[in-house]
């Protein structure tokens, strides 16, 4: 491959290409519907048709209203929405709300409320608050859906048994024994057949089963039950679709103003949250198909909210049910192979055709069959997976409160109770403080777990006064907040205790810094002999240091032949390389530890940074000299007796280990002992470059056991089958995803990457060194950057500084695509158990950027600036 010569560095925002002069203008391509979209629309239509009728039946609305909502949701949202593959229509999550509105205000006013809710959604979309809507606690959302599911299931059970449901859940439960005593055999048999087909159809084994399963189970269940009822001659209530000429449209809202406002807010809330969560879920499904993700792009949540609002305005005006994104149909759309929004729109057209031409066939469907179908949907809304998740995160109380509130009081009231409970739980966690006192070997330990506020001052005071005068005390603060009252109480006791001859050591769990010690840079604490071997390094977390070492007094360094000249040279070298700060492993603190990462070195990777990451981003073709300039080979040079005064001596490793054992090991020994007993359970796989300037635990604020780290030259992920005998990266990915079950994978690039510089300057006929053979896995990134048809990856707020930075950004995006091609990753993405993230770290600015998540408005690959304010998110 010929070398890529960047020609667009000064114009990263690429303009549309014009046709050649004196040539005819280009012809506009004809719009065609892909065959995959046609087949997917058929599959979605066959699912949507019975579900739309069933949801309309469950709400008590005219059955045509379900068809109107399905058609409008498919066509309007499909055309205007920001999630091309999400299918919208009447949703089971809106059943309870709509049924209550119909009971209270009547059908025409309910349609008017739907129109007003659509206008509210349009307003929210225009002010771009869609992303904020996802800030609702998942426990509240899942609890709301579970409560709706219980309400639906209990109500439809009466129809399944041949009766008529009541308006409230309590009435339905109260009348259930009487209904069981008077079961209608025909209705129960049809419902049982519907449920049996619904459960058994997806489980048909063998090759024939694979072919049969292409027909949606809901359609098979309803069609089978309707056919059996017709052949058996059962007398059952069936679907009744009056003439469209008598279909009721929206009227002027009638009722108390406050009640109408509450109804509009409820419809707006449920429709918006369900649709936006559905959009995020669709993005995760699309991410499992790399060939589709590049074509479809991520969801634009604000545009999706606008599309949903427009659909609700149209549906309500035409006498349809409220519209929202529907998870079942959207999942079926993606799995059926849809490649554009045409499948969603075509499914809406098919619903219109069915509503006009298939009325005689639809009127053969027994209502009991539709009720059984909707009851099954309601039961599935109570997800055991969600219950386990909220239990693991200690939010089961919020989940249960929301669920019971929705069941017994209504959706809006249940959500309000859930929010109140979530706030109460958060306040309880903030104010709950556990204070213990024990004595070990003459040392009194006071351990404070939780936030230390004025509410805990009495208990703190009691625990502190258990320490005898003159004794040695260690106070460990295991929390992230201390208010002024607690601080004064602790400080007063410390002063009093030390005045009576006692000693006090205050330690914070996160930082490990002893309170009261000087915070400025200090040198080595020497003993009476003043030797370097007995020096005690007392650095504080992430303060500037020179070449990975504390400042050593001239009197000490002169003994090693490295006087003040070595310090000055080391400082210049460190500044040129953009060294970020001291690692926790050489500090007396517990801030962040590189020792907490399992560094799996893959391909051309190293554990000490042998890549060529110079501060300016320049390197020679081999990338070796650049690595030496960055200090990657300093340890070897020192050991072999190099006389370069700018390098540390061969005692650097021994001094660093000694400082760790003396200062850091006592602070982390307990945590490491726990990890040794329980085994590692990292939350994410972090794949980054071997550059020595990237201290992964520092830039991610992580500690022991948090990250499973893979480092190699250029943060490359070889495609499956192209490893050429080196399976180290693939093995690490498989182990992290399948064995450790990490929840996220991050690919992190950085500025001034020597690998990308070498890739740009490489010649196709150059010698095939090990470095060049490894960098062939980066050629797709180079090709992606040179592809005129693809948008460039870029930083939010500014253009890439040069071609090297452009390639560094593009490489992160490309390696994420390589990652999706690995079987273990693709499987976890399909199951929704894994997330992928792209990250870029600018070394010189100490600034991190994250690749915009799915759902951002732009279809380009944009790396967003991560600021201090983002830490609270």
């Amino acid at each position: 491959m010929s070398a890529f010569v960047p020609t667009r560095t000064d114009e990263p925002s690429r303009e549309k290409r014009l046709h050649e002069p004196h040539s005819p203008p280009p012809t506009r391509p004809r719009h065609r519907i892909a065959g995959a979209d046609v087949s997917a629309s058929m599959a979605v239509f066959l699912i949507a048709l019975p579900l739309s009728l069933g949801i309309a039946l469950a709400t008590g609305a005219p059955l045509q209203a379900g068809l109107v909502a399905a058609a409008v949701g498919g066509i309007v949202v499909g055309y205007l929405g920001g999630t091309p593959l999400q299918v919208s229509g009447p949703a089971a999550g809106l059943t309870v709300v709509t049924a209550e509105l119909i009971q209270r205000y009547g059908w025409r006013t309910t349609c008017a409320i739907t129109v007003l809710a659509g206008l509210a959604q349009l307003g929210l979309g225009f002010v771009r608050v869609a992303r904020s809507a996802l800030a609702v606690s998942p426990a509240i959302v899942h609890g709301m859906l579970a409560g709706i599911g219980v309400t639906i299931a209990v109500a439809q059970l009466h129809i399944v048994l041949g009766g008529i449901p009541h308006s409230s859940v309590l009435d339905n439960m109260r009348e259930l024994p009487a209904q069981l005593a008077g079961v209608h055999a025909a209705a129960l048999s049809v419902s049982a057949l519907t449920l049996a087909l619904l459960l058994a159809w997806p489980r048909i084994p063998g090759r024939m089963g694979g072919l049969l399963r292409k027909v949606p189970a809901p359609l098979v269940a309803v069609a089978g039950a309707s056919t059996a009822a017709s052949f058996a001659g059962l007398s059952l209530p069936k679907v009744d679709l009056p003439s469209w000429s008598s279909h009721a449209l929206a009227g002027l809202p009638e009722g108390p103003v406050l009640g109408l406002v509450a109804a509009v807010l409820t419809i707006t809330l449920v429709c918006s949250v369900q649709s936006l969560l559905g959009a995020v879920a669709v993005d995760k499904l699309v991410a499992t198909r790399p060939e589709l993700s590049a074509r479809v792009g991520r969801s634009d949540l604000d545009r999706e909210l606008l599309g949903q609002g427009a659909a609700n305005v149209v549906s309500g005006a035409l006498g349809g049910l409220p519209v929202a994104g529907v998870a079942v149909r959207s999942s079926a759309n993606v799995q059926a192979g849809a490649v554009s929004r045409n499948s969603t729109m075509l499914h809406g057209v098919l619903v219109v055709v069915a509503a006009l031409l298939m009325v005689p066939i639809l009127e053969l469907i027994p209502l009991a069959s539709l009720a059984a179908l909707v009851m099954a949907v309601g039961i599935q809304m109570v997800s055991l997976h969600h219950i386990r998740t909220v239990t693991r995160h200690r939010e089961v109380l919020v989940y249960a409160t929301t669920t019971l509130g929705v069941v017994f009081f209504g959706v809006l009231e249940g959500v309000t109770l859930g929010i109140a409970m979530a706030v109460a739980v958060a306040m309880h966690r903030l104010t709950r403080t556990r204070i213990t006192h024990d004595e070990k070997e003459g040392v009194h330990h006071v351990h404070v777990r939780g936030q230390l506020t004025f509410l805990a001052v009495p208990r703190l005071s009691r625990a502190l006064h258990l320490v005898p005068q003159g004794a040695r005390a260690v106070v460990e603060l295991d929390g992230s907040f201390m208010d002024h009252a607690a601080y004064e109480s602790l400080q007063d006791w410390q002063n009093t205790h030390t005045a009576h001859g006692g000693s006090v050591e205050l330690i914070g769990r996160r930082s490990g810094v002893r309170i009261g010690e000087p915070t400025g840079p200090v040198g080595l604490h020497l003993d009476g002999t003043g030797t370097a071997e007995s020096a005690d390094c007392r650095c504080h977390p992430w303060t500037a240091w020179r070449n990975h070492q504390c400042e050593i007094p001239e009197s000490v360094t002169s003994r090693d032949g490295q006087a003040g000249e070595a310090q000055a040279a080391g400082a210049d070298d460190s500044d040129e390389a953009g060294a970020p700060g001291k690692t926790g492993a050489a500090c007396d603190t517990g801030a962040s530890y590189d020792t907490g990462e399992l560094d799996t070195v893959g391909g051309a990777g190293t554990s000490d940074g042998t890549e060529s990451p110079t501060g300016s981003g320049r390197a020679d073709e081999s990338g070796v000299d650049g690595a030496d300039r960055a200090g990657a080979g300093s340890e070897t040079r020192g050991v072999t007796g190099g006389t370069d005064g700018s390098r540390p001596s061969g005692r650097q490793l021994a001094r660093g280990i000694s400082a760790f054992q003396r200062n850091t090991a006592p602070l982390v020994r307990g945590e490491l002992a726990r990890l040794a007993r329980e085994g590692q359970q990292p939350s994410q796989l972090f794949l980054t470059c071997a550059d020595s300037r990237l201290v992964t635990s520092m830039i991610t604020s992580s500690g022991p056991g948090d990250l499973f780290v893979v480092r190699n030259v250029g943060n490359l992920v070889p495609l499956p089958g192209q490893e050429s005998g080196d399976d180290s990266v693939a093995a690490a990915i498989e182990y992290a995803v399948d064995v450790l079950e990490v929840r996220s994978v991050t690919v992190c690039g950085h500025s001034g990457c020597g690998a990308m510089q070498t890739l740009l300057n490489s010649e196709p006929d150059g010698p095939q060194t090990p470095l060049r053979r490894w960098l062939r896995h980066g050629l797709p990134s180079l090709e992606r950057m040179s592809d005129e048809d693809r948008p460039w990856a870029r930083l939010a707020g500014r253009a890439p500084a040069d071609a090297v930075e452009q390639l560094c950004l593009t490489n992160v995006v490309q390696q994420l695509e390589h990652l999706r091609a690995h079987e273990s990753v693709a499987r976890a993405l399909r199951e929704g158990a894994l997330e992928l993230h792209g990250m870029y770290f600018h070394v010189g600015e100490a600034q991190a950027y994250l690749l915009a998540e799915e759902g951002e408005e732009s279809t380009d690959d944009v790396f967003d600036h991560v600021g201090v304010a983002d830490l609270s998110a």
Side-chain angles (χ1 to χ4, degrees):
M1 163 180 180
S2 60
F4 171 75
V5 180
T7 59
R8 301 170 296 173
T9 303
D10 297 331
E11 297 179 355
S13 58
R14 140 181 357 175
E15 299 179 355
K16 295 181 180 180
R17 188 175 303 170
L18 301 177
H19 61 277
E20 295 292 333
H22 309 295
S23 63
T27 58
R28 179 173 298 180
R30 298 179 60 186
H31 182 72
R32 295 181 179 179
I33 299 178
D37 283 333
V38 175
S39 59
S41 67
M42 290 292 296
V44 176
F45 160 71
L46 295 176
I47 296 174
L49 191 63
L51 283 177
S52 300
L53 293 172
I55 291 172
L57 172 67
T59 61
L63 296 184
Q64 295 101 319
L67 300 177
V68 170
V72 171
I75 297 173
V76 176
V77 182
Y79 183 73
L80 299 177
T83 308
L85 300 188
Q86 175 162 250
V87 181
S88 300
L94 293 161
T95 302
V96 176
V97 180
T98 309
E100 183 180 354
L101 295 180
I102 295 174
Q103 289 281 342
R104 182 176 300 178
Y105 300 110
W107 173 241
R108 292 171 64 87
T109 298
T110 300
C111 291
I113 292 173
T114 302
V115 173
L116 295 175
L119 294 174
Q121 285 181 298
L122 288 173
L124 294 175
F126 280 122
V127 297
R128 311 181 73 80
V129 297
R131 178 65 61 180
S132 303
L134 298 179
V136 180
S137 169
I140 296 176
V141 175
H142 297 319
M144 177 189 73
L145 295 177
I148 292 173
V150 171
T151 305
I152 292 173
V154 172
Q156 298 308 298
L157 182 59
H158 282 269
I159 301 179
V160 166
L161 298 175
I164 299 175
H166 298 274
S167 58
S168 70
V169 181
L170 292 178
D171 291 339
N172 284 325
M173 290 182 175
R174 192 180 300 112
E175 297 296 329
L176 192 57
Q179 187 66 61
L180 291 172
V183 172
H184 192 285
L188 182 60
S189 60
V190 170
S191 300
L193 178 60
T194 303
L195 293 174
L197 290 174
L198 191 65
L199 296 175
W201 191 259
R203 295 172 173 79
I204 300 177
R207 180 178 300 178
M208 182 59 67
L211 295 175
L212 293 176
R213 286 196 298 270
K214 293 184 178 180
V215 182
L219 177 67
V220 173
V222 173
S226 301
T227 303
S230 297
F231 279 115
L234 299 179
S235 177
L236 290 171
K238 297 181 180 180
V239 170
D240 182 18
L241 294 175
S243 171
W244 284 102
S245 60
S246 60
H247 178 63
L249 303 179
L252 293 176
E254 299 177 358
V257 175
L258 291 180
L260 293 175
V261 170
V264 171
L265 291 178
T266 303
I267 293 290
T268 303
L269 171 67
V270 178
C271 287
S272 301
V273 172
Q274 181 167 344
S275 299
L276 295 176
L277 291 176
V280 174
V282 169
D283 281 349
K284 293 180 179 179
L285 290 175
V286 171
T288 62
R289 297 171 55 187
E291 75 285 353
L292 181 60
S293 59
R295 178 171 181 176
V296 175
R298 292 181 292 270
S299 294
D300 181 343
L301 295 186
D302 291 307
R303 179 178 173 182
E304 179 66 19
L305 196 55
L306 291 172
Q308 296 289 340
N312 274 313
V313 171
V314 176
S315 180
L318 296 179
L321 291 171
V323 172
V326 187
V328 176
R329 289 168 235 179
S330 301
S331 175
N333 192 34
V334 176
Q335 293 174 357
V339 295
S340 72
R341 62 178 71 245
N342 291 330
S343 63
T344 304
M345 297 169 62
L346 188 56
H347 124 271
V349 174
L350 292 175
V351 171
V352 173
V353 173
L356 296 177
L357 303 180
M358 296 177 58
V359 172
I361 298 176
L362 297 178
E363 290 183 338
L364 296 176
I365 301 175
L367 296 183
S369 179
L370 293 178
L373 178 64
V374 176
M375 185 181 72
V377 173
I379 294 173
Q380 291 173 354
M381 292 173 70
V382 186
S383 171
L384 294 178
H385 171 71
H386 292 155
I387 294 176
R388 286 193 295 266
T389 300
V390 298
T391 302
R392 186 169 62 249
H393 290 88
R394 297 184 302 166
E395 292 187 330
V396 67
L397 191 58
V398 178
Y399 179 91
T401 300
T402 308
T403 300
L404 295 176
V406 170
V407 169
F408 293 108
F409 301 108
V411 174
L412 189 60
E413 293 84 354
V415 171
T416 303
L417 288 174
I419 293 174
M421 180 57 68
V423 172
V425 169
M427 293 298 296
H428 174 70
R429 291 174 179 173
L430 179 64
T431 57
R432 181 185 180 185
T433 307
R434 182 182 178 185
I435 303 174
T436 59
H437 167 268
D438 61 347
E439 180 184 358
K440 295 180 181 178
E441 301 178 357
V443 179
H444 292 261
H445 295 267
V446 177
H447 191 184
V448 180
R449 294 182 180 178
Q451 318 311 318
L452 198 52
T453 65
F454 67 94
L455 298 174
V457 167
R459 285 179 290 145
L460 176 65
S461 180
R462 285 194 296 269
L464 292 176
H465 281 82
L466 294 176
V467 180
Q469 290 186 0
R472 180 185 174 189
V474 176
V475 179
E476 184 176 354
L477 305 176
D478 188 355
S480 59
F481 176 76
M482 179 193 301
D483 69 4
H484 186 68
Y487 174 80
E488 280 196 347
S489 175
L490 189 59
Q491 197 71 18
D492 291 343
W493 173 84
Q494 182 184 15
N495 295 335
T496 303
H497 188 74
T498 54
H500 288 83
S503 65
V504 179
E505 186 178 17
L506 286 88
I507 302 176
R509 177 181 65 87
R510 285 179 172 267
S511 64
V513 178
R514 275 77 167 175
I515 299 177
E517 290 185 352
T519 57
V522 292
L524 296 175
H525 295 259
L526 306 178
D527 59 9
T529 62
T531 60
E533 285 79 359
S534 62
D536 185 14
C537 176
R538 306 291 286 181
C539 291
H540 290 267
W542 317 132
T543 56
W545 86 105
R546 291 184 168 88
N547 208 11
H548 304 272
Q549 289 295 301
C550 301
E551 294 186 40
I552 303 176
E554 183 175 342
S555 59
V556 176
T557 57
S558 60
R559 300 174 185 269
D560 293 329
Q562 295 178 327
E565 179 184 0
Q567 297 182 29
D572 294 340
D573 197 274
S574 155
D575 293 340
E576 180 182 350
K582 186 169 182 31
T583 60
C587 299
D588 66 333
T589 69
S592 296
Y593 307 92
D594 255 7
T595 55
E597 304 162 355
L598 177 56
D599 284 353
T600 304
V601 183
T606 66
S607 60
D608 60 351
T610 58
E611 195 214 348
S612 56
T614 60
S616 61
R618 297 171 298 175
D620 65 350
E621 291 186 2
S622 66
V624 176
D625 293 340
D628 289 342
R629 287 195 297 272
S634 58
E635 193 63 44
T636 304
R637 292 163 62 93
V639 173
T640 57
T643 59
D644 184 359
S646 66
R647 297 297 176 189
S649 70
R651 298 178 180 177
Q652 171 186 344
L653 178 61
R655 280 204 305 269
I657 295 175
S658 177
F660 167 79
Q661 293 298 147
R662 181 169 53 254
N663 303 314
T664 307
L667 302 178
V668 299
R669 187 170 286 119
E671 177 67 9
L672 293 179
R674 182 189 67 81
L675 291 173
R677 291 192 307 269
E678 301 176 1
Q680 62 168 330
Q681 296 178 340
S683 60
Q684 62 175 303
L685 166 62
F686 198 86
L687 196 150
T688 189
C689 186
D691 193 302
S692 60
R693 298 167 296 177
L694 285 182
V695 185
T696 54
S697 57
M698 179 182 68
I699 63 178
T700 59
S701 298
S702 56
D706 290 340
L707 301 182
F708 186 81
V709 181
V710 177
R711 304 188 73 150
N712 61 52
V713 173
N715 47 275
L716 301 178
V717 181
L719 284 168
Q722 297 185 12
E723 296 90 346
S724 299
D726 184 2
D727 292 324
S728 57
V729 176
I733 293 172
E734 180 182 345
Y735 186 79
V737 176
D738 291 344
V739 179
L740 299 179
E741 297 181 345
V742 297
R743 296 187 294 275
S744 69
V745 181
T746 301
V747 176
C748 177
H750 67 96
S751 62
C753 182
M756 298 299 103
Q757 176 72 53
T758 303
L759 196 59
L760 275 174
N761 295 338
S762 62
E763 295 292 342
D765 53 352
Q768 290 301 306
T769 64
L771 178 61
R772 293 186 187 283
R773 286 195 296 272
W774 169 252
L775 289 181
R776 74 186 185 280
H777 300 301
L779 292 178
S781 301
L782 196 60
E783 295 171 356
R784 185 189 190 100
M785 191 175 77
S786 60
D787 188 350
E788 297 285 347
D789 295 330
R790 288 190 175 187
W792 271 4
R794 57 186 176 86
L795 297 174
R798 72 171 177 87
D802 51 25
V804 176
E805 185 168 57
Q806 180 64 71
L807 184 56
C808 292
L809 297 170
T810 304
N811 184 56
V812 172
V813 178
Q814 183 64 36
Q815 300 311 314
L816 285 173
E817 288 195 6
H818 290 186
L819 201 58
R820 293 186 182 99
H822 285 260
E823 180 182 355
S824 57
V825 175
R827 182 174 59 255
L829 288 173
R830 285 195 300 270
E831 296 171 355
L834 187 67
E835 295 179 353
L836 300 185
H837 302 285
M839 177 177 171
Y840 176 76
F841 185 75
H842 194 289
V843 177
E845 299 175 357
Q847 178 60 56
Y849 297 84
L850 283 177
L851 184 62
E853 296 181 358
E854 300 168 356
E856 298 292 342
E857 60 179 280
S858 175
T859 59
D860 295 343
D861 298 309
V862 181
F863 288 79
D864 286 334
H865 178 281
V866 179
V868 177
D870 299 328
L871 297 178
S872 61

